[in-house]
Amino acid sequence: MNYKKLTVFLLLISFSVCIFSCKNSAEEEKTLVWIKEKSYFNGYRLTDKGTVIFDYAICFHNYTDDDFEISLQAQFKKSELESWIEYEKFYEGKNSGEMYSLIPALSEVVINYSFEGKYLSEIVPNSISFPEEFIIATKIIEK
């Protein structure tokens, strides 16, 4: 008889944990999320102004019911940049020259961000690690 009570008790605990976990998971999804697995380095180009522009495709998923506009600044590994670009703590990301990019409600979007700095006349690497840190500013778009 004790085994039946223990089994029922354990089942109730397991059921409670499952309900609590599912609730937290759904609540966490009600936000804007960066999808690292779908983001990547997308090359570079040199300009006539003595600068180098390096590009990243960065994927975001907007789990909210609101449209967002975001601006992004990124910090990269100093050791990977300092030989070919003048190092800055944070580089401002631009999408087609614009500071803000639209991420519609309940959608996943890949945004091509360009980061620019003074070119130092060294060989640019074929690949650069993903940013170490982001600063993301968001604006909710009124409907």
Side-chain angles (χ1 to χ4, degrees):
M1 190 124 173
N2 281 338
Y3 289 112
K4 285 184 180 180
K5 287 182 181 179
L6 179 61
T7 303
V8 169
F9 177 73
L10 290 174
L11 284 173
L12 285 174
I13 294 292
S14 298
F15 184 68
S16 299
V17 167
C18 180
I19 289 175
F20 181 73
S21 297
C22 293
K23 183 179 175 188
N24 279 346
S25 172
E27 287 173 2
E28 288 173 3
E29 288 186 352
K30 284 294 191 176
T31 188
L32 179 68
V33 177
W34 163 53
I35 315 258
K36 184 177 183 177
E37 299 77 29
K38 294 182 179 180
S39 303
Y40 53 91
F41 176 69
N42 204 18
Y44 71 93
R45 59 195 178 282
L46 302 175
T47 70
D48 294 337
K49 300 182 292 180
T51 63
V52 60
I53 298 172
F54 54 107
D55 302 315
Y56 277 89
I58 302 177
C59 183
F60 292 97
H61 194 112
N62 182 354
Y63 289 96
T64 73
D65 295 328
D66 297 311
D67 293 341
F68 283 111
E69 279 191 339
I70 67 166
S71 69
L72 179 134
Q73 291 185 348
Q75 179 181 27
F76 298 88
K77 288 182 182 176
K78 185 176 183 178
S79 62
E80 289 187 5
L81 302 184
E82 64 187 354
S83 66
W84 58 275
I85 189 170
E86 188 172 277
Y87 182 76
E88 296 179 26
K89 186 149 177 92
F90 283 92
Y91 293 86
E92 183 177 296
K94 291 189 177 178
N95 176 21
S96 300
E98 298 295 321
M99 196 167 131
Y100 281 91
S101 301
L102 177 66
I103 303 178
L106 303 171
S107 66
E108 185 174 291
V109 207
V110 176
I111 302 171
N112 293 305
Y113 282 103
S114 297
F115 304 93
E116 186 172 6
K118 182 179 177 186
Y119 180 55
L120 299 177
S121 301
E122 292 291 325
I123 296 173
V124 180
N126 291 331
S127 184
I128 306 165
S129 298
F130 211 76
E132 294 183 305
E133 187 175 344
F134 287 127
I135 298 175
I136 299 173
T138 61
K139 294 191 300 188
I140 295 176
I141 305 302
E142 297 296 323
K143 294 182 181 181

